Amino acid sequence: MTSMDQSAMSEAAREIEKLMGLHPKGFDLSLERITRLLDVLGNPHQKLPPVIHVAGTNGKGSVTAFCRALLEAGGYSVHVHTSPHLVNWHERYRIGVKGGRGKLVDDTVFADVLRRIAKANEGQKITVFEILTAATFLLFAEHPADVAIIEVGLGGRFDATNVLSDPAVSVIMPISLDHQPYLGDRVELIAAEKAGIMKPGHPVVIGHQDYDAALDVLISTAERLRCPTAVFGQDFSAHEEYGKLVYQDEFGLADLPLPRLPGRHQYGNAAAAIRAVKAAGFVVTEAMMEKAMTSVEWPGRLQRLTEGDLVANAPERAEIWIDGGHNPGAGEVIAEAMANFEERQPRPLFLIIGMINTKDPIGYFKAFAGLAEKVYCVPIRGSEAMVDPVILANAAYDAGLIAEPMSTVGEALDAIKAMTVANSPAPRILIGGSLYLVGDVLADNGTPPR
């Protein structure tokens, strides 16, 4: 059962399927259609609580999760919009609860909002993502909360969320090559698109950047717009010391627990979140930071599966990780995390990878050369854009890996089981390369995000 089949059980998913029959699924970057629709709806995007607006190629989901954990640790009610979803459409909308964890949107409420948007649109040309963004603004305007965290869908300048004109803070996370047909084929062009969410005079937080060219574009844009700006490595930082996360900015220093999200790249994501929440005007205490580091959660991103149907059929004592990262930058940070696991507890690493055809598979796979024993390449169910497993296996081979095509994740797990030698370390298995594949795995495993 695909994630679409499963979520089609819900009232809201049926409404979305109707809309997909009328409107294109792809991207058509413009703000004209969403602006027109929001005007008919009474401009709900102008009636939101303070907004933390997040863009970036990698890390924007993690920084969103850290921001949410920080604010909820302080007792604030926090609306959260992320995309895409893994299993159910409702994951995109978390409605804030005062003094507690936000909850995924109620199906009846979500379906009602979608019907109202469809009626207001009157059949005019619009993309499904723009309709879903309008749903974000309606839901968040009609349910009171202390703050809203809104993640950009694609790029920044022409993303449907960029009708926001008065963000409490704009956050730009690491930029690398991705979505080149829409955003450009050089990091400085992509940075210029992401910088489009900056608004004159409004605070900006710039997370860790691997490319100086991208950082230069972001800083010069912020300066031109006279935005109060905090830059990772200059105005705030985080590093590990004696098993603690040491965070520092112009306001002081804090020794915190290491984040429960694995990987050293999460140190920079946590730091950007702390600085962003401060820039948005919220008081951040050390107790909030400590609680956030130990409570943060972000499904499908270096998430360990410890129970479920797929886990039960995996090799005995296998360590199974899933991650939806899909571009070369993501491959590097995931591979680094796997290498760190290997240092602490050596195990043979196997990859089960599926991808769609807008990605750079060789660039992704290169990060795992010399680290992974073998790659099993699998299809992504229900995706017309998936890369054929044979072609994907050839890309892995070109990147220096041993690879083999498989028809399903289950078949790949069986192959790993057959290779597992008795009395030797149990395998470490990474399933990923696409959020769509990760969504299918979570659905098949019976462990969708809650």
Side-chain angles (χ1 to χ4, degrees), residues 131-287:
I131 289 170
L132 294 171
T133 302
T136 301
F137 297 139
L138 263 186
L139 287 166
F140 291 2
E142 293 177 355
H143 293 79
D146 297 313
V147 57
I149 308 167
I150 296 180
E151 186 185 307
V152 165
L154 175 68
R157 185 163 58 113
F158 290 119
D159 184 75
T161 65
N162 203 33
V163 293
L164 296 165
S165 60
D166 190 30
V169 62
S170 300
V171 185
I172 316 284
M173 295 308 290
I175 290 167
S176 62
L177 292 174
D178 201 4
H179 300 294
Q180 290 96 311
Y182 299 101
L183 305 179
D185 58 2
R186 302 198 312 274
V187 289
E188 55 267 38
L189 296 177
I190 295 175
E193 292 297 321
K194 310 280 187 191
I197 72 165
M198 298 181 189
K199 301 299 185 298
H202 288 66
V204 169
V205 170
I206 299 172
H208 167 76
Q209 300 295 327
D210 291 315
Y211 298 95
D212 289 342
L215 182 60
D216 290 345
V217 169
L218 297 176
I219 291 175
S220 63
T221 305
E223 288 175 346
R224 177 169 52 80
L225 296 173
R226 294 189 171 87
C227 299
T229 306
V231 180
F232 182 85
Q234 296 178 24
D235 304 297
F236 66 98
S237 64
H239 66 276
E240 182 181 353
E241 194 172 292
Y242 303 116
K244 291 280 197 177
L245 180 71
V246 180
Y247 171 81
Q248 187 167 9
D249 62 19
E250 65 268 42
F251 304 108
L253 182 145
D255 285 337
L256 306 171
L258 291 176
R260 74 183 282 223
L261 297 185
R264 286 195 184 113
H265 61 291
Q266 295 295 359
Y267 304 165
N269 294 337
I274 293 168
R275 191 63 189 80
V277 170
K278 290 182 178 182
F282 294 90
V283 173
V284 177
T285 66
E286 194 154 335

Side-chain angles (χ1 to χ4, degrees), residues 278-295:
K278 290 182 178 182
F282 294 90
V283 173
V284 177
T285 66
E286 194 154 335
M288 286 169 64
M289 289 188 272
E290 288 174 355
K291 186 175 179 182
M293 295 306 111
T294 56
S295 66

